[in-house]
Amino acid sequence: MKHAATSEAFPDAAHDHAECISTALAAAEDTCRREGLRLTPIRRRVLELVWQNHRPVGAYDLLDQLSRDGKRAMPPTVYRALEFLQGAGLVHRIATLNAFVGCSHPDHAHQCQFLICSDCRTVVELESENIGRSLKREAAALGFQVREQSVELTGLCPECHPAH
Amino acid sequence: MKHAATSEAFPDAAHDHAECISTALAAAEDTCRREGLRLTPIRRRVLELVWQNHRPVGAYDLLDQLSRDGKRAMPPTVYRALEFLQGAGLVHRIATLNAFVGCSHPDHAHQCQFLICSDCRTVVELESENIGRSLKREAAALGFQVREQSVELTGLCPECHPAH
DNA sequence: CAGAGATTGGTATAATATAACAGCACGTCA
DNA sequence: TGACGTGCTGTTATATTATACCAATCTCTG
Ligand SMILES: [Zn+2]
Ligand SMILES: [Zn+2]
Ligand SMILES: [Zn+2]
Ligand SMILES: [Zn+2]
């Protein structure tokens, strides 16, 4: 899925982010219905919070925000929700940041790559078959069978680098 | 640098690992002399411990081993040593494991990729210009300027997958 | 309704990492 | 020589991220 508001990969400040959120939630409902999974209120709320913007969010930030909802939530609550959402392919964990982002391609299984702006912290999820193939090929040449890839590229997004 | 004892990328159980260690330590001495850095006893010892095998090792494991040396070390000691070694390009951090491995190409600056066996936990450091280029190219196509790459492929090494 | 399995609430603790400051080692230069 | 600066180490304390575990509740199904 391209970004909802523009044809650019990187969301600009002016984009209609409410639409990003509602699209993501609707896709989550679909996925869960299709797979027989239960998008309970907590899980739905955590997903909504993860999608509050295009930046990765830490588990304890989510926890604070959940607590502000009135219920005083404990760590296992948010980690369980995140675990479920990851399992359902609705959320990804960014290993280099110990943080989480909403999945931009929740409608199908995929291996993806992340572009992480070190300035504005925006994250974009790439889904390049090309990269995936090339990684698998190089690994296979050494007899290694890839099961999971974690590809996280840190740098400057178009908005944040000087050439702009 | 290929693995010292064989022409294979993946070290086998029989290889002369003492040579891996001494090669790594000698290379570290060289690097530090060349760059005017100080490979102090603690740093040298931590590097030696990181190289105890080809598996990533956690900071607190290192701490335990340091403590067994007689000195009762505290976390900052090992984290400071690791920070130095990373800065000197002698050690890499594996983000998906919160753990550290010795660098296999300490003699030159590089961006690398890791193959991590989920069974035996052996890690091999790839230095593929091909992959680096392809990642940079895809990112650039979206206007993103890559500064750091973290590429960690988890799967089965040749020793551990069924085809073997 | 009964029972199984999934989900949640809650306590406690584990595992990883850093802040902050004091003392020391060692070279430099007056 | 001795005062100083810089970098390294020791130490205490704390921050941050994540999980183990058990009890209570909910949901679905038969
Ligand atoms: Zn995704
Ligand atoms: Zn940016
Ligand atoms: Zn070896
Ligand atoms: Zn390396």
Side-chain angles (χ1 to χ4, degrees), chain A residues 89-92 102-106 108 110-112 114 125-127:
Chain A
L90 299 170
V91 156
H92 295 293
C103 175
S104 301
H105 320 107
H108 58 288
H110 58 283
Q111 296 262 323
C112 57
F114 297 100
E125 178 180 339
L126 236 63
E127 190 186 349

Side-chain angles (χ1 to χ4, degrees), chain A residues 1 86 89-95 101-106 108-116 123-133 135-136 146-153, chain B residues 135 138 150-153:
Chain A
M1 161 181 111
Q86 287 175 86
L90 299 170
V91 156
H92 295 293
R93 181 168 188 275
I94 308 290
V101 288
C103 175
S104 301
H105 320 107
H108 58 288
H110 58 283
Q111 296 262 323
C112 57
Q113 303 89 32
F114 297 100
L115 305 181
I116 305 165
V123 168
V124 162
E125 178 180 339
L126 236 63
E127 190 186 349
S128 163
E129 273 304 320
N130 205 9
I131 291 174
R133 256 197 316 273
L135 291 172
K136 284 215 169 91
V146 177
R147 261 206 310 229
E148 301 246 7
Q149 55 171 264
S150 163
V151 179
E152 303 178 11
L153 308 181
Chain B
L135 291 172
E138 301 246 3
S150 162
V151 179
E152 302 177 12
L153 308 181

Side-chain angles (χ1 to χ4, degrees), chain B residues 5 10 13 30 58 97 109 116 122 145:
Chain B
F10 279 84
D30 279 0
L97 297 174
I116 305 165
T122 294
Q145 205 167 55

Side-chain angles (χ1 to χ4, degrees), chain A residues 12-60:
Chain A
D12 58 3
H15 82 276
D16 178 5
H17 188 63
E19 192 183 320
C20 295
I21 296 175
S22 59
T23 302
L25 290 176
E29 306 272 15
D30 280 0
T31 298
C32 289
R33 192 163 24 246
R34 200 173 51 235
E35 316 259 332
L37 302 173
R38 294 174 50 194
L39 190 64
T40 62
I42 293 181
R43 292 168 176 176
R44 195 188 144 92
R45 178 66 177 137
V46 168
L47 181 60
E48 192 182 7
L49 289 171
V50 163
W51 271 101
Q52 68 197 270
N53 55 40
H54 293 267
R55 293 190 267 282
V57 57
Y60 279 76

Side-chain angles (χ1 to χ4, degrees), chain A residues 117-122 155-161:
Chain A
C117 179
S118 51
D119 191 1
C120 69
R121 301 186 2 272
T122 294
L156 294 176
C157 81
E159 299 294 326
C160 293
H161 70 67

